Amino acid sequence: MTKVIRVPVKEAEIVRLRIIEAGKLDPERKIKVIDAEERFLEIPVTDDIEGFDTYQQEDALFYNKWRSLKEILKGSITESELEMLPSGWQILGDIIVVTIDPAIEHLKQRIAESLLQMYPYCNTVVRDLGISGQFRLPEREVLIGNSTETINKENGCFFKLDVTKVMFSKGNLHEKALMSRIGEHETIVDMFAGIGYFTIPMAVHAKPARIIAIELNPQSYAYLRENIVLNHVENIVEAKNGDCAELTPEGIADRVIMGYVGTTHHYLEQGIKALKESGGILHYHETTPESLIFSRPISRIEHAASKIGRNVEILDCRKIKKYSPGIWHVVIDARIS
């Protein structure tokens, strides 16, 4: 089946992100221009998308002749090994990041070579071995290639990074897109900015008056500085390297983003104090057990606000993704007054 939906170019990126979040984007086919004058695109999908008519695509453009690792390696490895092959991977710029089951570690080089057959525009394959520590540093093994630094394009923004030194999640696409549409003319504090996951799309698309982006990890901070220049938002973003507990300003923000998970609740008072006395919006991220999915983060916000005499109005609660078995990454939007 070669199903597509048709959307205007100006809406294509937001719709594409929505389709990815729904798990219905066909990764094997390219987005195709069908009417250059009217500026319409066909987005390849694997199933119907609510709110859009579905069409059968003619003359589909495929990324490559290989559809899967199984197709390439079938006949040269055992059936049980075929079943253990990775079914998904991340492509960041020209680098492929893949998780390989330890049971087929002896195939890792062949898997890397096969992935480069599938994506000839890539030149490096690294194996993901997990993350660790306060800075969430990736542990990765280079299987093929020399350079681990790349520039990844997402939602019209550029992110330079070294995949062996800093994390970049291609998930949370809906949340990133949401942040890119709010904050016009506002003063914003991004307390855990990383390499600019939320700061950059917000600065590029929403055009706030000012963003103060704080990042503790020196390597992530260095890439944050580079990405500010790369995206031409030096007049909007002020980057700071250090601990949010010490560097978060007080009483200046219309909006505060707390986009880290793990120990974020320890910084809630600083996040709330950063908002103007007249009030503002807090975007608070947390990883929460399913049984406490929204109640725990809401109670933490309310407790921190009450300690400093502020009121809380919950505006929205969102599930982002399953973080681990029984644990959800969630976001709470709260108006603090």
Side-chain angles (χ1 to χ4, degrees), residues 37-231:
E37 288 188 9
E38 296 294 330
R39 295 182 62 77
F40 269 81
L41 300 178
E42 284 186 339
I43 300 180
V45 296
T46 58
D47 202 351
D48 295 340
I49 304 297
E50 185 179 351
F52 293 91
D53 293 329
T54 304
Y55 303 88
Q56 291 300 314
Q57 187 176 41
E58 299 178 6
D59 302 320
L61 301 175
F62 290 90
Y63 281 107
N64 50 71
K65 64 180 180 179
W66 303 108
R67 305 296 179 83
S68 68
L69 285 175
K70 286 185 179 181
E71 187 177 321
I72 297 175
L73 294 171
K74 191 172 183 178
S76 64
I77 63 176
T78 68
E79 285 297 322
S80 61
E81 288 171 335
L82 280 174
E83 292 305 313
M84 287 187 280
L85 289 174
S87 59
W89 39 84
Q90 271 196 327
I91 297 179
L92 299 173
D94 55 4
I95 297 175
I96 302 170
V97 181
V98 61
T99 301
I100 298 173
D101 192 312
I104 54 170
E105 183 161 356
H106 59 287
L107 295 175
K108 64 184 180 183
Q109 212 62 33
R110 292 178 66 184
I111 290 170
E113 291 165 359
S114 299
L115 286 170
L116 290 185
Q117 279 185 258
M118 296 174 68
Y119 303 95
Y121 59 87
C122 293
N123 52 42
T124 299
V125 181
V126 300
R127 181 184 181 190
D128 186 13
L129 299 169
I131 57 175
S132 62
Q134 179 186 9
F135 292 155
R136 294 176 59 78
L137 298 177
E139 184 181 350
R140 286 173 174 167
E141 175 188 8
V142 179
L143 300 178
I144 294 180
N146 297 314
S147 176
T148 54
E149 190 173 73
T150 190
I151 295 176
N152 187 62
K153 184 178 180 182
E154 183 178 273
N155 192 17
C157 302
F158 298 95
F159 296 91
K160 187 175 182 181
L161 71 153
D162 186 320
V163 300
T164 65
K165 294 179 180 177
V166 299
M167 287 297 299
F168 188 94
S169 173
K170 296 197 79 170
N172 306 352
L173 291 173
H174 178 76
E175 192 66 21
K176 293 175 188 175
L178 176 62
M179 291 296 105
S180 74
R181 298 194 297 270
I182 59 178
E184 185 179 7
H185 305 313
E186 294 181 351
T187 296
I188 294 157
V189 175
D190 185 356
M191 291 177 64
F192 306 91
I195 64 170
Y197 310 109
F198 294 119
T199 284
I200 296 299
M202 185 173 273
V204 168
H205 297 297
K207 296 292 190 291
R210 182 187 182 197
I211 301 177
I212 298 172
I214 306 168
E215 174 53 38
L216 179 61
N217 181 347
Q219 292 178 323
S220 295
Y221 172 74
Y223 282 113
L224 171 63
R225 292 283 301 270
E226 288 199 59
N227 290 330
I228 291 167
V229 175
L230 192 61
N231 289 277

